[in-house]
Amino acid sequence: MKMRVLLAIAALVAVARTASISQEDLEFHGWKMKFGKSYDSEEEESQRKMTWLTNRKLVLEHNMLADQGIKSYRLDMNHFADMDNQEYQARFKSCLVSYNRTKPRGGPLFLQQQADATLPCAVDWIAAGYVTKVNQQKQCCSCWAFSAAGALEGQLFRKTRQLVSLSEQQLLDCSWLNGNSGCASGAIEHAFEYVEFEGLQSDATYPYEGKDGMCRFNPKNSQATCSGFEELPSGDETILQKAVAVIGPISAAIDTKRNTFRFYSSGVYDEPYCSTSDLDHAVLIVGYGTDKRGQDYWMVKNSWGVQWGEKGYIRMSRNKKNQCGIATRASFPVV
């Protein structure tokens, strides 16, 4: 009898302990394990958890609207979930430096050639073999290098029918004299200028490290070069569509400062509060299309890993007054 009482008491204690662990606690623990998160102190973990809970509320409320068809995209608790928006913006706000745009290089000729062209309703350069795998830029502000390398990879494939993953790390280490600053900041256009005169190795011979290093470029291992680059007319989505359809993947700069962008999971990203001029992130436009709801979109490759978005990609609103500045600063290399 006494043993039964003791077992009952032990069971009650176990239940009480289990009850003290909330659903939020379990989710936070699972999220930490999924993304390999750890903190230096209990105080930091407590603060991060509070931020995580705030972001969880945002994601849940947004997805309720998506379930009702009010929002065209869904959010997810990804690796940014323990950061508040101020910290997120501080990390990325200086990643993309300005570039003194000239008149579009070759723009008039490009427009004349495509003036009467009938464009396809949808383009997918991923399926066509022009696009390498999605990578993770880590804690380095190297989005500009990933965007430039991606555009070069597409044009190299267009010319040679060989898909080669090119070295973002070389651009980080070696293009300082062209105006870039490694993991601190850079410009897509400066990267193209560097490649024009130096060439670019493959990622296999100059792998990505996600941190600044000494330039180790070996001209004998160069895999790609270009004769320059062209800038598309700023803000013109019609011309951007022509370029994507005819040229291939196009480098672009966008505004990612809204919470909804960093937590994007799936669907067509429609964010009317995005800026068309205050741009902070470089990406690669790899196609376009229209979804089942009739929403036009750009297919965009990001450099935040495959656990972000649609396996590393985002569909961004197209033909919505240059939303998020998708056509403000678009360019491509001439290979």
Side-chain angles (χ1 to χ4, degrees), residues 7-306:
L7 289 173
I9 292 173
L12 288 171
V13 170
V15 169
R17 286 178 176 173
T18 302
S20 68
I21 301 176
S22 66
Q23 180 67 27
E24 290 84 358
D25 290 332
L26 291 172
E27 287 185 22
F28 182 61
H29 180 70
W31 174 86
K32 286 195 301 176
M33 292 185 64
K34 179 179 180 180
F35 293 103
K37 296 280 186 171
S38 62
Y39 305 104
D40 294 334
S41 66
E42 289 186 8
E43 181 182 6
E44 182 188 2
E45 176 154 342
S46 178
Q47 292 174 344
R48 292 293 181 182
K49 183 180 177 182
M50 291 301 295
T51 300
W52 185 89
L53 288 169
T54 299
N55 289 328
R56 179 178 180 270
K57 182 174 182 290
L58 179 150
V59 169
L60 290 174
E61 290 178 349
H62 178 97
N63 288 344
M64 287 177 62
L65 297 176
D67 290 339
Q68 299 170 43
I70 298 173
K71 295 290 185 179
S72 59
Y73 60 100
R74 298 182 65 81
L75 306 181
D76 188 31
M77 294 294 283
N78 56 34
H79 59 286
F80 293 120
D82 61 349
M83 297 172 59
D84 60 32
N85 204 34
Q86 184 177 5
E87 181 183 3
Y88 164 78
Q89 290 190 37
R91 178 178 293 184
F92 293 106
K93 69 177 181 180
S94 301
C95 287
L96 198 61
V97 298
S98 61
Y99 180 80
N100 293 327
R101 291 178 63 96
T102 61
K103 64 180 181 179
R105 301 187 182 202
L109 177 60
F110 170 75
L111 296 179
Q112 291 169 15
Q113 291 174 338
Q114 305 306 323
D116 300 319
T118 300
L119 300 178
C121 296
V123 168
D124 183 353
W125 292 117
I126 307 168
Y130 279 59
V131 185
T132 57
K133 68 177 183 178
V134 171
N135 286 307
Q136 167 64 273
Q137 68 185 70
K138 303 178 183 178
Q139 301 297 315
C140 175
C141 275
S142 53
C143 58
W144 55 272
F146 279 94
S147 176
L152 284 159
E153 288 163 355
Q155 291 308 297
L156 183 63
F157 180 83
R158 185 180 183 218
K159 183 177 182 179
T160 67
R161 293 295 149 178
Q162 293 184 337
L163 186 63
V164 179
S165 182
L166 298 174
S167 177
E168 296 88 5
Q169 189 64 44
Q170 182 188 334
L171 294 174
L172 292 176
D173 295 344
C174 305
S175 65
W176 289 70
L177 292 179
N178 296 86
N180 292 324
S181 301
C183 278
S185 62
I188 305 161
E189 300 88 350
H190 291 325
F192 290 151
E193 289 172 341
Y194 166 80
V195 174
E196 180 180 356
F197 292 101
E198 297 293 340
L200 193 62
Q201 290 182 218
S202 70
D203 188 63
T205 62
Y206 203 139
Y208 187 70
E209 299 171 352
K211 59 183 180 180
D212 294 330
M214 295 292 291
C215 180
R216 306 182 299 278
F217 172 56
N218 184 344
K220 294 181 180 179
N221 292 329
S222 180
Q223 289 285 309
T225 187
C226 64
S227 59
F229 67 96
E230 293 191 9
E231 300 168 87
L232 300 181
S234 183
D236 193 327
E237 286 191 82
T238 301
I239 300 303
L240 179 57
Q241 182 183 356
K242 291 179 180 179
V244 173
V246 176
I247 299 298
I250 302 293
S251 289
I254 57 173
D255 172 26
T256 68
K257 291 184 289 298
R258 307 297 298 181
N259 264 327
T260 50
F261 188 91
R262 63 179 168 125
F263 294 130
Y264 168 82
S265 173
S266 62
V268 177
Y269 183 70
D270 185 2
E271 181 52 81
Y273 296 104
C274 264
S275 173
T276 59
S277 58
D278 188 10
L279 313 180
D280 62 350
H281 188 55
V283 291
L284 186 69
I285 304 172
V286 295
Y288 63 81
T290 304
D291 75 353
K292 294 179 180 179
R293 299 173 55 170
Q295 286 187 290
D296 294 339
Y297 64 82
W298 299 106
M299 178 60 75
V300 175
K301 182 186 181 184
N302 202 356
S303 50
W304 290 351
V306 295

Side-chain angles (χ1 to χ4, degrees), residues 305-325:
V306 295
Q307 290 183 311
W308 179 90
E310 296 180 329
K311 296 182 179 180
Y313 292 87
I314 179 173
R315 285 178 288 163
M316 299 184 68
S317 289
R318 179 167 62 92
N319 297 329
K320 283 205 169 182
K321 298 181 179 179
N322 186 28
Q323 195 176 98
C324 296

